[in-house]
Amino acid sequence: MYQESVQCVEAEIDFVEATYKEIRGNEARFLREDFSGTGQTSAEWIKRNKKNKAWAIDFDEEVVQWGIDNVRSQLNHPENLTYKITDVRYSGITKMDVILAMNFSYFLFMERQTMKDYFVSVKNSLEPTGIFFLDAFGGYEAAKELTEERECEGFTYIWEQATFNPINSQMQCYIHFKTDKGEQVNRAFSYYWRLWTLPELQELLLEAGFSQVDIYWEGTDEESGEGDGVFQPTKIGTADAGWVCYIVALP
Ligand SMILES: C[S@@+](CC[C@H](N)C(=O)[O-])C[C@H]1O[C@@H](n2cnc3c(N)ncnc32)[C@H](O)[C@@H]1O
């Protein structure tokens, strides 16, 4: 249910491939997926080209084992995907063309210095021509205690922002699921993290030594008024209730 409702690895890798090509003029081959969970995004990278290699980094042994058994085993070239059980700050996987920190996982770092140390370690793990991709979310409803439901095939996805503390911007979020047959999976996933703002993140990336940081904002579909899935670099975003964007940082 998580894979169907939360991740869209195809769209993520479409963006990474196209943006890398646009900026560097050639194709990336070596990708490191930080906070990889089961390594779905790395697997999508491997599927795109048999010359591609990926390293999926996560410190949760159980989650990684599930990825090895259920994700890597489905690949035509499983040898091109390596899992490493370690803290993302000390993985030792370097000389990368692309490093990903997606699904807001790096929001788990609560302190400015910890976040900066992580960004420095990423910068030192990239080739000079490499690119660091992150996503971020925000908007005036992001700092609100709320529950939202979305219908998926056979189940309902429920996102809960249970607490938000304006003094330190830390919040408790949960994902719950409810199947169409009435089964409830309460607090299937729990996230206690800090809601970082884009100015804070851009400043920290530059302080960590990245030479250029761009925000890629999603366009709006004129008919539905919803996001159109096309992300373009811009200096001016829209003051939406909830937005998701990409951050692209060059060493
Ligand atoms: C929000 S999940 C993201 C999973 C997957 N990337 C996705 O997009 O769905 C966060 C993952 O980060 C891992 N994690 C959290 N802090 C970490 C750290 N410091 N080093 C390595 N993994 C970490 C957790 O074990 C968890 O699997």
Side-chain angles (χ1 to χ4, degrees):
M1 287 191 281
Y2 178 86
Q3 284 170 29
E4 280 175 33
S5 55
V6 177
Q7 279 193 301
C8 185
V9 293
E10 295 83 0
E12 215 162 272
I13 292 298
D14 284 350
F15 176 77
V16 168
E17 273 185 337
T19 309
Y20 188 94
K21 186 100 199 267
E22 205 170 285
I23 295 173
R24 299 298 188 203
N26 57 13
E27 283 167 7
R29 289 287 169 237
F30 288 7
L31 174 145
R32 188 178 99 192
E33 181 190 4
D34 283 351
F35 310 96
S36 66
T38 59
Q40 304 283 333
T41 313
S42 296
E44 180 63 22
W45 183 251
I46 298 303
K47 284 184 205 161
R48 297 284 171 114
N49 194 304
K50 63 177 187 300
K51 289 190 212 148
N52 285 358
K53 292 199 188 306
W55 286 262
I57 315 294
D58 198 291
F59 64 16
D60 187 326
E61 231 169 282
E62 202 184 341
V63 171
V64 169
Q65 193 56 50
W66 196 94
I68 293 170
D69 296 341
N70 297 281
V71 178
R72 183 164 66 179
S73 58
Q74 306 298 315
L75 292 172
N76 288 335
H77 292 281
E79 70 281 4
N80 288 346
L81 169 52
T82 306
Y83 289 85
K84 190 157 180 186
I85 300 167
T86 179
D87 189 297
V88 291
R89 288 166 291 175
Y90 317 114
S91 75
I93 306 296
T94 58
K95 300 191 175 158
M96 292 291 110
D97 297 322
V98 167
I99 297 183
L100 305 180
M102 296 293 194
N103 231 334
F104 327 118
S105 307
Y106 64 99
F107 280 15
L108 293 165
F109 294 136
M110 300 288 192
E111 307 297 333
R112 201 172 190 284
Q113 189 59 47
T114 322
M115 188 66 93
K116 188 171 161 187
D117 289 347
Y118 170 58
F119 288 165
V120 168
S121 75
V122 170
K123 191 193 163 265
N124 291 340
S125 306
L126 284 167
E127 287 285 359
T129 52
I131 302 185
F132 183 30
F133 291 88
L134 313 88
D135 59 10
F137 77 96
Y140 55 85
E141 282 193 351
K144 206 171 153 183
E145 292 168 357
L146 55 74
T147 303
E148 280 172 357
E149 295 198 356
R150 177 158 45 87
E151 288 306 318
C152 300
E153 221 169 298
F155 67 94
T156 306
Y157 161 91
I158 303 157
W159 172 253
E160 181 186 2
Q161 292 168 191
T163 65
F164 178 81
N165 178 356
I167 292 178
N168 57 17
S169 241
Q170 293 180 7
M171 63 193 301
Q172 174 67 60
C173 306
Y174 298 107
I175 294 174
H176 317 281
F177 297 110
K178 197 166 55 189
T179 71
D180 291 356
K181 291 181 187 146
E183 289 162 290
Q184 294 258 136
V185 190
N186 279 325
R187 298 187 175 179
F189 295 93
S190 162
Y191 307 93
Y192 189 69
W193 55 24
R194 170 168 166 183
L195 184 65
W196 289 85
T197 66
L198 291 177
E200 287 170 321
L201 293 168
Q202 291 171 92
E203 283 164 10
L204 274 171
L205 285 159
L206 292 170
E207 280 177 34
F210 285 90
S211 63
Q212 188 180 326
V213 180
D214 291 304
I215 304 296
Y216 282 61
W217 202 261
E218 192 177 11
T220 306
D221 183 283
E222 279 180 19
E223 270 178 33
S224 68
E226 299 288 319
D228 62 3
V230 181
F231 291 81
Q232 299 284 355
T234 179
K235 296 283 178 219
I236 300 173
T238 39
D240 296 329
W243 48 256
V244 172
C245 71
Y246 287 112
I247 307 174
V248 176
L250 310 185

